[in-house]
Structure formats: C-alpha cells, structure tokens
Amino acid sequence: MKYELRIAHLYGDLLNTYGDIGNILVLNYYAKQMDTQIKVKIVSLNDPFDPNDFDLVFFGGGQDYEQLIVSRDIQRKKKSLTDFINAGGPVLAICGGYQLLGKYYIGAKGEKIAGISALPHYTKSQVNHRFIGNIEIENEETGQKYHGFENHNGLTYLGPGERPLGRVLSGHGNNGADQSEGAIYKNTFCSYFHGPILARNGELAKRLLLIALKRRYPTADLKQPAELKIKPTY
Ligand code: GLN
C-alpha cells in the first residue's frame, strides 16, 4: 500500500453501541481502494491522546453510565482533542461521542455529564422518552441523502459555527423541533446515526478518508471519490 492512515478509536472499549465499530470496517474497505493501509488504536481511559499520532478520530455512542465514566477521563484529553479538531483533523462522532464533544449532556436521570466544549452544542434530555427509528436526512452542500437509525434520549442544540450534517426528511434528528440532524464543524462530522452510519453512507466515508489523506500527503495525486465503488463487499 502506498499510503497509511492512523485512526484513534476513542473509548472503543466503552462506547460502541449498535456496532459503531462497523464504521472502521467501512473506512478500511474504502481505504484499500485508495491504496491506503489503516492502523487503528483504541485510545481509552488513562491513555494519552497526542494529535500528532493520528490522522483520523472515531468516537462512538453508548449508554449514560459509560458516558459518565468517559466524561471524567476525557477532560484530561480536552486540550489535545480540541487542538486536533481546530487544526482541521477529521473526526467522526456518533451519538454519545457527539454529545461529549459538546458542552454537556443531561442524562436520562437528570445528571449533568460534562463534555469537552470542543464544539459549541449542548444536549438536554427527554422525560421518559427516546427518539428511536429510521431516519433520512439531506446534506445541503452536496445534496447527498444519508440513511440511518437513531436511538437517543438526548436533545441536541447546535451552537455558533456549527451547521447540521443534514436537514431531516423523516425521523427526529437533533431535537425533534428544528429539522437539524448532526453537526459539521471544521472537519468534524457528528451524527445520531447508528447502523453504522458509514455502512449505508459510503460518500461520507470517502469524504473523511480524503480529508485525512490530503492532510497527511498534501502533494499526493489521490483517487477521487467518484472513482470508488459504493457498495461494500466485505
Ligand atoms: N446515552 C445517550 C442518549 O441516550 C447516547 C445514546 C447513544 O449513544 N445511542 O442520548
């Protein structure tokens, strides 16, 4: 393989509901077609995160209990993760991971779970209710439609500098009220989609890989996403 990308799977041993790890399988599938070898490392409790050691970050979702444990540990990685994000490092964060990149999440029992405020959104909770089901959104820049499955208690409200990953066509999205789903901030992509998101939305997988490759190999003549097959065959 001509290129290599190093992926940090943040708290992959704690936050991995609904097979969020499948996103890494999908990244690997497209990476091979881009002549790229993927190396994955779980960065979990007590592990340092050095932004120079990674080209892409993946952060999955989970239950409130695990989120609380992660919330305490991630404060020590707050600066290095924020630096990675502000420098334009590509990040994919799903559900609980999405909530923890923001200011805070009020859990189902009313507990305040601190995020790292790398992104300006915040998340409140619903009383005895969750948003569960299939969801379809449209990304306004590309016109691409993304499909997935959502299952969350949290109601997320975007802040300055964030735009939604898409406009809700069917389903609930960030908060069930403003038609937004997920967030885009610099090269950080957040979503409530499990499924996992990249398995059904190959365009997004290719976009993330291309951002990572361009940052790591600025002068390389890379294959364009349109040249790559969409259907995963693993
Ligand atoms: N515990 C969070 C919520 O219910 C995140 C859930 C998830 O990651 N699926 O909103």
Side-chain angles (χ1 to χ4, degrees):
M1 299 268 175
K2 207 162 160 188
Y3 310 110
E4 178 203 77
L5 288 177
R6 301 155 304 169
I7 299 182
H9 187 180
L10 282 186
Y11 303 97
D13 51 347
L14 288 165
L15 297 180
N16 181 28
T17 42
Y18 313 109
D20 285 338
I21 197 170
N23 288 308
I24 291 180
L25 299 180
V26 179
L27 288 170
N28 197 38
Y29 170 78
Y30 287 112
K32 274 193 207 150
Q33 297 179 57
M34 294 161 114
D35 215 353
T36 302
Q37 163 136 29
I38 295 281
K39 282 195 179 159
V40 185
K41 192 172 176 219
I42 290 185
V43 176
S44 190
L45 302 179
N46 300 315
D47 295 336
F49 173 81
D50 183 337
N52 300 313
D53 289 348
F54 298 102
D55 305 301
L56 201 152
V57 169
F58 173 63
F59 197 5
Q63 288 79 18
D64 291 5
Y65 178 75
E66 281 82 4
Q67 269 183 262
L68 192 57
I69 296 169
V70 169
S71 152
R72 292 185 187 126
D73 186 88
I74 200 172
Q75 302 308 327
R76 280 183 267 156
K77 305 182 194 22
K78 172 177 170 150
K79 182 175 180 321
S80 52
L81 282 168
T82 307
D83 287 350
F84 184 84
I85 288 170
N86 285 337
V91 177
L92 176 65
I94 303 299
C95 207
Y98 169 25
Q99 295 167 350
L100 285 166
L101 291 185
K103 290 182 175 167
Y104 60 83
Y105 162 53
I106 307 292
K109 293 187 187 130
E111 69 280 29
K112 189 168 184 177
I113 302 176
I116 58 168
S117 300
L119 273 64
H121 57 265
Y122 60 92
T123 304
K124 294 182 168 175
S125 67
Q126 309 181 58
V127 181
N128 290 328
H129 191 260
R130 300 181 70 80
F131 287 153
I132 303 173
N134 291 320
I135 172 161
E136 186 184 6
I137 63 172
E138 182 173 331
N139 177 274
E140 285 185 338
E141 287 150 73
T142 60
Q144 288 164 1
K145 291 197 173 122
Y146 301 140
H147 300 87
F149 180 84
E150 59 182 332
N151 182 353
H152 54 110
N153 168 261
L155 301 173
T156 297
Y157 299 90
L158 301 184
E162 282 182 302
R163 53 196 199 283
L165 177 65
R167 189 171 54 84
V168 176
L169 301 176
S170 64
H172 302 283
N174 282 334
N175 49 54
D178 67 12
Q179 254 85 56
S180 71
E181 200 298 313
I184 302 178
Y185 179 85
K186 297 183 187 265
N187 285 326
T188 293
F189 296 78
C190 301
S191 176
Y192 272 112
F193 285 25
H194 293 287
I197 187 169
L198 298 183
R200 293 178 71 187
N201 305 288
E203 293 303 335
L204 195 55
K206 290 185 279 182
R207 190 166 169 187
L208 282 161
L209 287 167
L210 215 60
I211 294 167
L213 283 166
K214 276 188 187 151
R215 284 185 88 233
R216 173 97 185 255
Y217 304 97
T219 56
D221 181 22
L222 299 162
K223 260 192 191 176
Q224 289 309 301
E227 298 173 60
L228 302 170
K229 284 172 276 170
I230 296 265
K231 203 170 165 229
T233 55
Y234 52 79

